[in-house]
Amino acid sequence: MSVSNEEERSVRAAVEGELRLLDPGVRASPDAVTRLLDPEFTEFGASGRRYDRTSILAVTSAVDENAPEPAAATEMSGVLLAPGLVHLTYVSENNGLRVRRSSLWRRSDTHWRLYFHQGTPAGPS
């Protein structure tokens, strides 16, 4: 089965957004993070905590934008679930900790935004 142009473009846009959110320089900017998060954003973090758009901004803005190594993302895979809705999965590694991640990206009128995210610890690297 071939991938449609719409699916390819949609998945690529979601991957680009996800990678931007992993960038310490972006994470340090509340305005940049806000543009990437859906107003109804929810996250279940690897810590087990539940975050909404407001509470995740406190976490991301505390990140040092000059940190030597951003989290590495591997095994990135995406699928268009419906028009305007992409599901991404990947593994992040940072400071010896691996986390399996799942994200739902929803297209707004103008661009793609992260609607839901979950991180599940996967043990040491």
Side-chain angles (χ1 to χ4, degrees):
M1 184 169 118
S2 67
V3 176
S4 73
N5 286 338
E6 177 189 3
E7 181 170 7
E8 188 176 312
R9 282 190 309 273
S10 298
V11 169
R12 184 175 36 242
V15 168
E16 288 171 2
E18 194 76 41
L19 294 175
R20 285 184 46 77
L21 282 171
L22 291 173
D23 181 320
V26 171
R27 294 174 69 84
S29 168
D31 288 339
V33 173
T34 298
R35 282 191 298 276
L36 289 166
L37 297 181
D38 190 272
E40 297 176 17
F41 170 79
T42 300
E43 175 175 336
F44 299 127
S47 65
R49 284 193 59 199
R50 181 186 183 280
Y51 299 93
D52 60 15
R53 192 177 191 195
T54 302
S55 60
I56 202 68
L57 286 171
V59 173
T60 59
S61 63
V63 170
D64 179 3
E65 66 182 296
N66 298 313
E69 294 282 329
T74 60
E75 302 177 36
M76 185 79 71
S77 178
V79 63
L80 182 66
L81 297 177
L85 185 64
V86 169
H87 179 223
L88 295 180
T89 59
Y90 64 100
V91 174
S92 69
E93 294 189 45
N94 196 7
N95 296 325
L97 179 64
R98 293 181 74 232
V99 178
R100 294 202 179 277
R101 300 199 175 267
S102 176
S103 295
L104 290 175
W105 284 80
R106 182 164 71 172
R107 187 174 50 226
S108 68
D109 292 338
T110 58
H111 61 283
W112 288 87
R113 290 182 164 182
L114 182 59
Y115 175 75
F116 176 80
H117 183 81
Q118 181 168 350
T120 303
S125 301

